[in-house]
Amino acid sequence: MATDYYGVLGLSRGASDADIKKAYRRLARDLHPDVNPDPEAKERFQEVSRAYQALTDPDKRRIVDLGGDPFDTGPGAGGGSPFGQAGFGGLGDIMDAFFGGAGMGGRGPRSRVREGDDALIRIELDLEQTVFGTTEEITVDTAVLCGTCSGAGTAPGTHPTTCTTCSGRGEVQSVQRSFLGQVVATRPCPTCAGTGQVIPEPCPECGSEGRVRARRTIPVKVPAGVEDGMRIRLTGRGEVGPGGGPAGDLYVEIRERPHEVFTRDGEDLHCRVTLPMTAAALGTTLPLTLLDGEDTDIDVRPGTQPGTVLTLRGKGAPRLRATGRGNLLVHVDVQTPTRLDAEQEKLLRELAVLRGEDRPASAAGETPGGLFARVRNPFK
Ligand SMILES: [Zn+2]
Ligand SMILES: [Zn+2]
Protein backbone atom coordinates (compact mmCIF):
# COMPACT_ATOMS: atom_id res chain seq x y z
CA MET A 1 0.00 0.00 0.00
CA ALA A 2 1.24 3.45 -0.86
CA THR A 3 2.28 5.68 2.03
CA ASP A 4 0.08 8.69 2.71
CA TYR A 5 2.84 11.26 2.29
CA TYR A 6 0.50 14.17 2.82
CA GLY A 7 -0.72 12.61 6.05
CA VAL A 8 2.85 12.11 7.30
CA LEU A 9 3.32 15.88 7.13
CA GLY A 10 -0.14 16.55 8.56
CA LEU A 11 -1.33 18.00 5.29
CA SER A 12 -4.12 17.26 2.91
CA ARG A 13 -3.93 16.71 -0.80
CA GLY A 14 -3.40 19.87 -2.81
CA ALA A 15 -1.22 21.51 -0.14
CA SER A 16 0.91 24.32 -1.57
CA ASP A 17 4.68 24.13 -1.80
CA ALA A 18 4.89 26.69 0.98
CA ASP A 19 2.62 24.58 3.22
CA ILE A 20 4.76 21.52 2.60
CA LYS A 21 7.95 23.36 3.41
CA LYS A 22 6.46 24.88 6.55
CA ALA A 23 5.11 21.56 7.81
CA TYR A 24 8.41 19.85 7.13
CA ARG A 25 10.46 22.48 8.91
CA ARG A 26 8.20 22.40 11.93
CA LEU A 27 8.51 18.61 12.20
CA ALA A 28 12.21 18.46 11.40
CA ARG A 29 12.96 20.92 14.19
CA ASP A 30 11.48 18.43 16.69
CA LEU A 31 12.61 15.20 15.15
CA HIS A 32 16.14 15.59 13.75
CA PRO A 33 18.47 13.08 15.47
CA ASP A 34 20.73 15.93 16.53
CA VAL A 35 18.05 17.39 18.76
CA ASN A 36 15.92 14.40 19.53
CA PRO A 37 17.75 11.21 20.56
CA ASP A 38 14.57 9.16 20.80
CA PRO A 39 14.78 6.22 18.33
CA GLU A 40 11.12 6.66 17.48
CA ALA A 41 11.76 10.26 16.58
CA LYS A 42 14.56 9.11 14.30
CA GLU A 43 12.21 6.80 12.49
CA ARG A 44 9.58 9.47 12.27
CA PHE A 45 12.21 11.92 10.99
CA GLN A 46 13.04 9.53 8.17
CA GLU A 47 9.39 9.26 7.26
CA VAL A 48 8.96 13.00 7.32
CA SER A 49 12.07 13.53 5.18
CA ARG A 50 10.87 10.97 2.70
CA ALA A 51 7.44 12.60 2.51
CA TYR A 52 9.07 15.98 2.01
CA GLN A 53 11.17 14.58 -0.83
CA ALA A 54 8.19 12.94 -2.41
CA LEU A 55 6.09 16.10 -2.36
CA THR A 56 8.69 18.67 -3.37
CA ASP A 57 9.88 16.85 -6.47
CA PRO A 58 7.26 17.50 -9.18
CA ASP A 59 7.78 14.08 -10.79
CA LYS A 60 7.52 12.23 -7.51
CA ARG A 61 4.54 14.27 -6.39
CA ARG A 62 2.73 13.36 -9.59
CA ILE A 63 3.24 9.68 -8.73
CA VAL A 64 1.91 10.30 -5.21
CA ASP A 65 -1.13 12.12 -6.57
CA LEU A 66 -1.80 9.18 -8.85
CA GLY A 67 -1.92 6.92 -5.81
CA GLY A 68 1.55 5.44 -6.29
CA ASP A 69 4.74 5.49 -4.27
CA PRO A 70 7.73 7.16 -5.94
CA PHE A 71 10.14 5.29 -3.69
CA ASP A 72 8.63 1.89 -4.32
CA THR A 73 11.04 0.33 -6.77
CA GLY A 74 9.63 -3.14 -6.76
CA PRO A 75 10.06 -6.21 -4.55
CA GLY A 76 12.47 -5.72 -1.69
CA ALA A 77 12.14 -1.97 -1.77
CA GLY A 78 11.35 -0.11 1.37
CA GLY A 79 14.33 -1.08 3.46
CA GLY A 80 17.40 1.02 3.84
CA SER A 81 17.70 4.73 3.80
CA PRO A 82 15.22 6.84 1.90
CA PHE A 83 18.17 8.93 0.84
CA GLY A 84 20.08 6.04 -0.66
CA GLN A 85 19.11 6.56 -4.24
CA ALA A 86 16.67 9.38 -4.16
CA GLY A 87 19.13 12.12 -3.34
CA PHE A 88 18.58 14.60 -0.71
CA GLY A 89 16.26 17.46 -1.05
CA GLY A 90 15.52 18.28 2.50
CA LEU A 91 18.53 18.93 4.61
CA GLY A 92 19.08 22.42 3.31
CA ASP A 93 15.76 23.22 4.84
CA ILE A 94 16.69 21.53 8.07
CA MET A 95 19.66 23.81 8.25
CA ASP A 96 17.32 26.72 7.67
CA ALA A 97 15.02 25.40 10.33
CA PHE A 98 17.81 25.19 12.87
CA PHE A 99 20.08 28.00 11.96
CA GLY A 100 18.16 30.25 9.67
CA GLY A 101 16.88 32.45 12.44
CA ALA A 102 18.65 34.18 15.27
CA GLY A 103 21.08 32.43 17.54
CA MET A 104 23.63 31.31 14.95
CA GLY A 105 26.11 33.99 15.82
CA GLY A 106 29.80 33.36 16.08
CA ARG A 107 29.72 32.38 19.77
CA GLY A 108 28.90 29.12 21.39
CA PRO A 109 29.38 25.56 20.20
CA ARG A 110 29.26 25.07 16.48
CA SER A 111 27.22 22.33 14.90
CA ARG A 112 28.80 19.06 13.93
CA VAL A 113 26.57 19.25 10.91
CA ARG A 114 28.24 20.99 8.02
CA GLU A 115 27.40 21.46 4.40
CA GLY A 116 28.84 18.95 1.93
CA ASP A 117 31.14 19.69 -0.99
CA ASP A 118 30.15 20.03 -4.59
CA ALA A 119 31.19 17.22 -6.90
CA LEU A 120 32.14 17.27 -10.57
CA ILE A 121 31.80 14.51 -13.11
CA ARG A 122 32.51 14.64 -16.84
CA ILE A 123 30.49 12.78 -19.41
CA GLU A 124 31.20 12.29 -23.10
CA LEU A 125 28.30 12.66 -25.48
CA ASP A 126 27.87 12.27 -29.20
CA LEU A 127 27.02 15.34 -31.24
CA GLU A 128 23.49 14.01 -31.76
CA GLN A 129 23.03 13.93 -27.98
CA THR A 130 24.28 17.44 -27.29
CA VAL A 131 22.32 18.88 -30.18
CA PHE A 132 19.01 17.11 -29.58
CA GLY A 133 19.26 16.43 -25.84
CA THR A 134 19.28 13.11 -24.02
CA THR A 135 18.93 11.50 -20.63
CA GLU A 136 22.11 9.83 -19.43
CA GLU A 137 22.50 7.48 -16.49
CA ILE A 138 25.62 8.50 -14.65
CA THR A 139 27.28 6.63 -11.84
CA VAL A 140 28.85 8.74 -9.16
CA ASP A 141 30.85 7.84 -6.11
CA THR A 142 29.90 10.31 -3.40
CA ALA A 143 29.24 10.65 0.29
CA VAL A 144 25.64 9.84 1.16
CA LEU A 145 23.79 10.00 4.45
CA CYS A 146 24.62 7.09 6.75
CA GLY A 147 21.59 4.82 6.79
CA THR A 148 22.42 3.38 10.21
CA CYS A 149 22.47 6.62 12.19
CA SER A 150 20.73 9.00 9.75
CA GLY A 151 23.63 11.39 10.15
CA ALA A 152 23.73 11.48 13.93
CA GLY A 153 27.05 9.60 14.02
CA THR A 154 26.07 7.63 17.13
CA ALA A 155 25.73 3.89 17.53
CA PRO A 156 22.09 2.78 17.59
CA GLY A 157 20.54 3.41 20.98
CA THR A 158 23.28 5.78 22.12
CA HIS A 159 23.48 9.56 22.23
CA PRO A 160 26.09 12.25 22.15
CA THR A 161 27.15 13.51 25.55
CA THR A 162 28.22 16.92 26.65
CA CYS A 163 31.93 17.46 26.32
CA THR A 164 33.55 17.53 29.74
CA THR A 165 36.57 19.55 28.65
CA CYS A 166 34.51 22.60 27.72
CA SER A 167 31.26 21.76 29.52
CA GLY A 168 29.47 21.97 26.24
CA ARG A 169 30.53 25.51 25.43
CA GLY A 170 32.66 24.42 22.50
CA GLU A 171 35.50 26.70 23.45
CA VAL A 172 38.17 26.85 26.10
CA GLN A 173 39.93 29.82 27.57
CA SER A 174 43.51 30.09 28.60
CA VAL A 175 45.10 32.88 30.56
CA GLN A 176 48.56 33.97 29.58
CA ARG A 177 50.73 36.50 31.29
CA SER A 178 52.52 38.98 29.16
CA PHE A 179 54.15 42.32 29.73
CA LEU A 180 50.75 43.88 28.93
CA GLY A 181 49.18 41.99 31.79
CA GLN A 182 46.90 38.98 31.59
CA VAL A 183 45.67 37.98 28.19
CA VAL A 184 42.66 35.70 27.98
CA ALA A 185 42.65 33.67 24.80
CA THR A 186 39.60 31.75 23.62
CA ARG A 187 39.96 28.88 21.21
CA PRO A 188 37.81 25.99 20.01
CA CYS A 189 37.76 23.07 22.40
CA PRO A 190 40.33 20.49 21.23
CA THR A 191 38.36 17.56 22.66
CA CYS A 192 35.10 18.15 20.80
CA ALA A 193 36.44 20.30 17.93
CA GLY A 194 34.21 23.11 19.09
CA THR A 195 30.95 21.22 18.95
CA GLY A 196 30.38 20.96 22.69
CA GLN A 197 29.47 17.31 22.31
CA VAL A 198 31.34 14.06 22.12
CA ILE A 199 30.15 10.75 20.76
CA PRO A 200 31.08 8.03 23.24
CA GLU A 201 29.91 5.22 20.97
CA PRO A 202 30.38 6.04 17.32
CA CYS A 203 28.11 4.58 14.69
CA PRO A 204 29.67 1.30 13.48
CA GLU A 205 28.72 2.12 9.89
CA CYS A 206 30.21 5.59 9.48
CA GLY A 207 32.48 5.98 12.52
CA SER A 208 30.62 9.11 13.70
CA GLU A 209 30.96 10.89 10.34
CA GLY A 210 27.22 10.67 9.70
CA ARG A 211 27.89 9.86 6.07
CA VAL A 212 29.28 6.98 4.06
CA ARG A 213 30.64 6.63 0.55
CA ALA A 214 28.37 5.01 -1.95
CA ARG A 215 28.02 4.55 -5.66
CA ARG A 216 24.77 5.70 -7.08
CA THR A 217 23.32 5.93 -10.51
CA ILE A 218 21.50 9.13 -11.30
CA PRO A 219 19.63 10.01 -14.47
CA VAL A 220 20.80 13.33 -15.89
CA LYS A 221 18.58 15.19 -18.28
CA VAL A 222 20.75 16.89 -20.87
CA PRO A 223 18.82 19.67 -22.59
CA ALA A 224 18.98 20.06 -26.35
CA GLY A 225 21.61 22.53 -27.49
CA VAL A 226 24.23 22.07 -24.76
CA GLU A 227 27.82 22.59 -25.84
CA ASP A 228 31.19 21.17 -25.06
CA GLY A 229 32.44 22.41 -21.68
CA MET A 230 29.03 23.36 -20.30
CA ARG A 231 28.07 22.16 -16.86
CA ILE A 232 24.69 20.95 -15.68
CA ARG A 233 24.04 21.47 -12.00
CA LEU A 234 22.12 18.88 -10.01
CA THR A 235 21.22 20.62 -6.79
CA GLY A 236 21.80 18.54 -3.67
CA ARG A 237 23.34 15.60 -5.55
CA GLY A 238 26.91 16.29 -4.43
CA GLU A 239 28.62 15.11 -1.27
CA VAL A 240 26.62 14.87 1.93
CA GLY A 241 28.37 16.94 4.58
CA PRO A 242 29.93 15.87 7.89
CA GLY A 243 27.32 15.00 10.49
CA GLY A 244 24.87 14.27 7.69
CA GLY A 245 24.88 17.92 6.60
CA PRO A 246 23.11 19.04 3.45
CA ALA A 247 24.63 17.74 0.26
CA GLY A 248 26.52 20.02 -2.08
CA ASP A 249 25.68 20.16 -5.75
CA LEU A 250 26.76 17.77 -8.45
CA TYR A 251 28.07 19.34 -11.63
CA VAL A 252 28.03 17.32 -14.82
CA GLU A 253 30.44 18.67 -17.40
CA ILE A 254 29.70 17.93 -21.03
CA ARG A 255 32.39 16.71 -23.40
CA GLU A 256 31.31 16.48 -27.02
CA ARG A 257 32.78 13.71 -29.14
CA PRO A 258 33.84 14.71 -32.65
CA HIS A 259 31.39 13.65 -35.36
CA GLU A 260 32.40 12.04 -38.65
CA VAL A 261 30.44 14.41 -40.84
CA PHE A 262 29.37 17.46 -38.89
CA THR A 263 31.29 20.00 -36.89
CA ARG A 264 29.69 22.54 -34.64
CA ASP A 265 30.06 26.23 -34.04
CA GLY A 266 27.56 27.19 -31.35
CA GLU A 267 24.10 26.83 -32.82
CA ASP A 268 25.40 26.27 -36.37
CA LEU A 269 26.48 22.97 -37.85
CA HIS A 270 28.96 22.68 -40.68
CA CYS A 271 29.76 19.97 -43.18
CA ARG A 272 31.87 19.69 -46.29
CA VAL A 273 30.91 18.09 -49.60
CA THR A 274 33.06 17.50 -52.64
CA LEU A 275 31.56 17.77 -56.12
CA PRO A 276 33.12 16.69 -59.40
CA MET A 277 33.94 19.64 -61.64
CA THR A 278 31.23 18.61 -64.10
CA ALA A 279 28.52 18.50 -61.43
CA ALA A 280 29.57 21.92 -60.16
CA ALA A 281 29.39 23.28 -63.71
CA LEU A 282 26.14 21.62 -64.70
CA GLY A 283 24.34 21.73 -61.37
CA THR A 284 23.09 18.71 -59.49
CA THR A 285 21.02 17.44 -56.61
CA LEU A 286 23.04 16.33 -53.63
CA PRO A 287 21.56 13.78 -51.20
CA LEU A 288 22.54 14.50 -47.60
CA THR A 289 21.57 12.76 -44.39
CA LEU A 290 21.12 15.37 -41.66
CA LEU A 291 22.26 14.92 -38.07
CA ASP A 292 18.80 13.83 -36.98
CA GLY A 293 18.80 11.09 -39.64
CA GLU A 294 16.45 12.90 -42.00
CA ASP A 295 17.37 12.56 -45.68
CA THR A 296 17.30 15.70 -47.69
CA ASP A 297 18.27 16.83 -51.18
CA ILE A 298 20.41 19.91 -51.63
CA ASP A 299 19.96 21.85 -54.82
CA VAL A 300 23.37 22.73 -56.29
CA ARG A 301 22.97 25.36 -58.96
CA PRO A 302 24.89 25.23 -62.28
CA GLY A 303 28.15 27.14 -62.05
CA THR A 304 28.74 26.54 -58.36
CA GLN A 305 32.23 27.70 -57.36
CA PRO A 306 34.66 26.01 -54.96
CA GLY A 307 34.22 27.50 -51.49
CA THR A 308 30.53 28.16 -51.98
CA VAL A 309 28.58 27.83 -48.75
CA LEU A 310 25.03 26.57 -48.99
CA THR A 311 22.85 27.45 -45.99
CA LEU A 312 20.08 25.14 -44.80
CA ARG A 313 18.09 27.37 -42.47
CA GLY A 314 16.90 25.87 -39.21
CA LYS A 315 18.82 22.61 -39.66
CA GLY A 316 21.44 23.44 -37.03
CA ALA A 317 21.36 22.95 -33.26
CA PRO A 318 18.41 24.12 -31.15
CA ARG A 319 19.17 27.25 -29.15
CA LEU A 320 19.70 26.35 -25.51
CA ARG A 321 17.87 29.20 -23.81
CA ALA A 322 15.71 30.39 -26.67
CA THR A 323 13.51 29.06 -29.38
CA GLY A 324 14.45 28.09 -32.91
CA ARG A 325 17.49 26.42 -34.36
CA GLY A 326 20.70 27.50 -35.99
CA ASN A 327 21.64 26.70 -39.57
CA LEU A 328 23.48 23.95 -41.35
CA LEU A 329 26.24 25.34 -43.55
CA VAL A 330 27.34 23.07 -46.36
CA HIS A 331 30.79 23.98 -47.69
CA VAL A 332 31.31 22.94 -51.29
CA ASP A 333 34.65 21.73 -52.65
CA VAL A 334 35.05 21.20 -56.38
CA GLN A 335 37.32 18.45 -57.52
CA THR A 336 39.36 18.82 -60.69
CA PRO A 337 39.75 15.46 -62.47
CA THR A 338 43.27 14.11 -62.29
CA ARG A 339 43.51 11.02 -64.48
CA LEU A 340 41.89 11.55 -67.85
CA ASP A 341 41.77 8.81 -70.44
CA ALA A 342 42.28 9.70 -74.08
CA GLU A 343 38.61 10.12 -74.83
CA GLN A 344 38.00 12.36 -71.84
CA GLU A 345 41.02 14.49 -72.60
CA LYS A 346 39.86 14.92 -76.17
CA LEU A 347 36.42 16.06 -75.02
CA LEU A 348 37.86 18.49 -72.51
CA ARG A 349 40.16 19.97 -75.16
CA GLU A 350 37.19 20.41 -77.47
CA LEU A 351 35.32 22.12 -74.65
CA ALA A 352 38.28 24.38 -74.01
CA VAL A 353 38.37 25.36 -77.69
CA LEU A 354 34.64 26.00 -77.69
CA ARG A 355 35.00 28.24 -74.65
CA GLY A 356 38.05 30.03 -75.97
CA GLU A 357 40.03 28.78 -73.03
CA ASP A 358 42.70 26.98 -75.05
CA ARG A 359 44.97 29.91 -75.83
CA PRO A 360 48.34 30.42 -74.17
CA ALA A 361 49.00 33.36 -71.87
CA SER A 362 50.85 35.36 -74.54
CA ALA A 363 47.66 35.52 -76.57
CA ALA A 364 45.68 36.96 -73.71
CA GLY A 365 45.59 40.40 -75.22
CA GLU A 366 43.67 39.15 -78.23
CA THR A 367 41.04 37.42 -76.14
CA PRO A 368 39.99 39.72 -73.36
CA GLY A 369 37.52 37.23 -72.00
CA GLY A 370 39.94 34.34 -72.07
CA LEU A 371 40.97 32.27 -69.15
CA PHE A 372 44.45 33.75 -68.91
CA ALA A 373 43.41 37.34 -69.46
CA ARG A 374 44.06 38.49 -65.93
CA VAL A 375 47.30 36.59 -65.43
CA ARG A 376 50.45 38.69 -65.68
CA ASN A 377 53.94 37.40 -65.25
CA PRO A 378 55.42 39.65 -62.59
CA PHE A 379 59.00 38.88 -63.78
CA LYS A 380 58.62 40.38 -67.24
ZN1 LIG B 1 26.37 6.24 10.87
ZN1 LIG C 1 34.60 20.36 24.24
Side-chain angles (χ1 to χ4, degrees):
M1 212 192 107
T3 312
D4 175 12
Y5 288 114
Y6 289 101
V8 168
L9 293 177
L11 296 167
S12 49
R13 217 165 242 264
S16 72
D17 287 350
D19 289 341
I20 292 167
K21 196 164 176 169
K22 218 161 97 190
Y24 171 70
R25 287 171 58 143
R26 186 171 42 74
L27 290 163
R29 216 178 280 137
D30 295 335
L31 298 170
H32 187 272
D34 262 13
V35 291
N36 193 334
D38 184 3
E40 259 177 50
K42 179 177 136 182
E43 222 162 86
R44 181 96 174 86
F45 173 66
Q46 288 184 335
E47 269 176 36
V48 163
S49 300
R50 193 199 279 251
Y52 178 74
Q53 271 190 301
L55 298 180
T56 48
D57 179 322
D59 292 333
K60 292 195 178 70
R61 186 169 179 177
R62 205 167 305 126
I63 297 172
V64 173
D65 288 341
L66 290 168
D69 188 335
F71 297 111
D72 187 5
T73 50
S81 160
F83 302 116
Q85 13 163 297
F88 216 109
L91 272 181
D93 296 306
I94 294 182
M95 297 303 274
D96 286 356
F98 288 148
F99 311 127
M104 195 47 189
R107 310 287 295 174
R110 63 194 188 94
S111 174
R112 283 190 305 109
V113 182
R114 262 167 296 136
E115 207 165 319
D117 291 329
D118 293 338
L120 173 68
I121 187 169
R122 292 190 176 86
I123 56 170
E124 277 206 351
L125 297 175
D126 291 326
L127 185 64
E128 291 90 333
Q129 295 175 304
T130 57
V131 166
F132 299 117
T134 182
T135 298
E136 281 288 289
E137 297 270 311
I138 59 164
T139 301
V140 282
D141 201 341
T142 53
V144 299
L145 192 72
C146 174
T148 303
C149 65
S150 298
T154 47
T158 72
H159 314 300
T161 55
T162 303
C163 173
T164 50
T165 307
C166 65
S167 310
R169 284 191 307 273
E171 53 189 28
V172 288
Q173 292 184 336
S174 57
V175 179
Q176 288 169 331
R177 288 181 187 284
S178 77
F179 63 94
L180 293 170
Q182 283 193 347
V183 178
V184 180
T186 303
R187 60 195 170 94
C189 170
T191 307
C192 61
T195 62
Q197 288 187 330
V198 289
I199 293 176
E201 287 182 68
C203 167
E205 180 83 20
C206 64
S208 85
E209 260 288 284
R211 54 181 184 167
V212 289
R213 296 212 72 83
R215 256 173 130 66
R216 357 175 231 177
T217 302
I218 303 173
V220 180
K221 202 171 156 17
V222 179
V226 295
E227 289 181 49
D228 190 72
M230 282 184 175
R231 289 178 177 184
I232 296 169
R233 184 170 78 171
L234 302 179
T235 308
R237 293 300 184 99
E239 306 260 333
V240 162
D249 298 333
L250 173 63
Y251 289 88
V252 180
E253 187 173 294
I254 307 293
R255 287 265 167 262
E256 194 177 77
R257 287 192 199 102
H259 190 272
E260 275 187 348
V261 176
F262 298 100
T263 55
R264 179 166 179 194
D265 177 18
E267 63 185 49
D268 290 333
L269 295 174
H270 295 257
C271 71
R272 194 162 279 282
V273 297
T274 303
L275 294 178
M277 182 185 77
T278 46
L282 299 170
T284 186
T285 301
L286 197 67
L288 182 72
T289 302
L290 303 175
L291 189 62
D292 62 4
E294 183 198 335
D295 288 320
T296 189
D297 286 326
I298 302 175
D299 188 31
V300 179
R301 274 174 305 183
T304 292
Q305 301 298 316
T308 296
V309 180
L310 304 170
T311 302
L312 277 66
R313 300 218 164 271
K315 298 294 185 188
R319 298 183 181 110
L320 187 58
R321 287 183 194 86
T323 51
R325 288 174 63 173
N327 301 323
L328 170 60
L329 300 152
V330 182
H331 300 256
V332 180
D333 283 339
V334 176
Q335 201 169 38
T336 306
T338 46
R339 273 184 225 101
L340 298 171
D341 64 24
E343 169 89 23
Q344 291 165 352
E345 190 183 335
K346 183 168 160 273
L347 282 171
L348 263 184
R349 285 198 187 286
E350 281 173 26
L351 180 66
V353 170
L354 279 175
R355 291 181 55 81
E357 292 166 354
D358 59 328
R359 315 232 166 101
S362 57
E366 297 161 33
T367 56
L371 181 62
F372 308 106
R374 267 163 278 125
V375 180
R376 288 235 154 72
N377 187 337
F379 299 108
K380 264 188 181 167

